[in-house]
Amino acid sequence: MVRWFWQRRRPPGRVLRLRSRDEASDVRRVDFEQLAPDVATYLGQAAYLQLGYVETISALIERSPELSHKESLSRAAGAALLKHQGLVDLIRDRGEDPLRLMLPFREPLDVFRRATHGARALETMLSVHITAGLLDDFYLSLSGSYGDTGRRVAAVLRADADRSALVGIITDAIAADDEWRSILSMWGRRLVGDTLLVARGALRPGGLDLADEKQVEPVFTQLLAAHSKRMTAIGLDA
């Protein structure tokens, strides 16, 4: 399993809270004491994750023979770059070096990205849509642990990811050849497993005990529910 947050120890009392998407209230909040990473780890990993999506989508642009696809993919790459830059600006505003914070996560996140690259471009497009959606939601669930910094991160992550461009290419391919439906549904099921393993590893290196599992379950239940909606919207089985 890929581990993202093993480099740093968490200070006691850190709280992970699952918040409603609009952050209007704490009605749907769930607390996880001492499971969230320290803020430097949180920011460094989140910033490098978005940079990785820029790299993946840029590679898809290079491989695509269709000009319309290149243009659509460029919008998604630009949105990921804006998120990366927003997180980097936040790190700098805190007086820290973005490169120093991101460097510990370069190797493990690159391994994760390579593991979720498909043999075909459509599979990789689905990888970006599914893994980025799941992990953006996961980072939003963590954001309530970090006060004003977490609120700024949440604002960055809620910005339009422009992944509808990827979805359009995928749905057009399914409409043209229904065989893609079963291929991509199977690929999506593989992706969600790999991505949730990464998210679980982020909470506590070495695994969670039974009490932790009971606390974590509502968060992952909602992550999976959101994932199912994304897959259904594309016309795929979750």
Side-chain angles (χ1 to χ4, degrees):
M1 180 177 67
V2 179
R3 293 181 180 173
W4 291 1
F5 293 144
W6 76 97
Q7 296 286 342
R8 301 173 185 269
R9 300 181 67 85
R10 294 173 297 277
R14 183 66 63 196
V15 177
L16 168 60
R17 299 186 293 180
L18 178 62
R19 309 293 292 273
S20 60
R21 176 66 75 154
D22 61 7
E23 285 282 310
S25 71
D26 290 342
V27 172
R28 297 172 60 202
R29 186 183 70 192
V30 181
D31 292 341
F32 297 89
E33 295 182 359
Q34 300 182 25
L35 292 183
D38 65 85
V39 65
T41 296
Y42 175 70
L43 292 173
Q45 196 278 335
Y48 191 75
L49 183 67
Q50 295 298 329
L51 185 60
Y53 287 125
V54 176
E55 184 176 346
T56 296
I57 300 170
S58 296
L60 286 169
I61 294 171
E62 184 178 357
R63 291 167 55 191
S64 176
E66 298 289 338
L67 180 58
S68 61
H69 289 183
K70 288 180 182 289
E71 194 278 330
S72 296
L73 291 165
S74 72
R75 297 200 303 271
L81 181 59
L82 287 176
K83 288 189 176 188
H84 168 72
Q85 290 171 337
L87 294 168
V88 164
D89 288 344
L90 173 53
I91 292 169
R92 290 197 176 110
D93 287 348
R94 290 173 50 84
E96 300 187 79
D97 179 3
L99 294 180
R100 184 182 66 82
L101 266 59
M102 289 189 291
L103 187 59
F105 309 108
R106 178 178 181 177
E107 181 177 352
L109 281 175
D110 284 352
V111 169
F112 171 70
R113 275 195 311 116
R114 287 194 295 270
T116 55
H117 280 193
R120 291 158 286 204
L122 284 174
E123 290 171 335
T124 304
M125 290 181 203
L126 183 63
S127 293
V128 172
H129 181 59
I130 295 304
T131 65
L134 276 165
L135 292 173
D136 279 358
D137 284 348
F138 178 68
Y139 267 83
L140 284 167
S141 76
L142 284 165
S143 65
S145 299
Y146 305 104
D148 289 339
T149 295
R151 283 187 283 275
R152 287 186 62 182
V153 171
V156 170
L157 294 180
R158 287 195 186 96
D160 186 2
D162 225 340
R163 288 193 291 269
S164 60
L166 302 179
V167 172
I169 295 172
I170 292 168
T171 54
D172 286 348
I174 293 171
D177 182 353
D178 197 63
E179 186 177 354
W180 278 113
R181 192 181 308 276
S182 59
I183 293 171
L184 293 175
S185 291
M186 185 178 300
W187 180 248
R189 286 191 285 272
R190 172 188 166 183
L191 293 172
V192 72
D194 288 346
T195 308
L196 290 183
L197 281 176
V198 171
R200 290 172 66 86
L203 292 176
R204 176 178 291 167
L208 306 175
D209 60 28
L210 183 60
D212 294 333
E213 292 283 357
K214 290 180 179 179
Q215 289 182 298
V216 167
E217 183 178 358
V219 171
F220 285 92
T221 296
Q222 292 197 26
L223 292 178
L224 286 170
H227 164 71
S228 294
K229 289 180 180 178
R230 286 188 198 96
M231 293 287 282
T232 299
I234 306 174
L236 301 176
D237 297 326

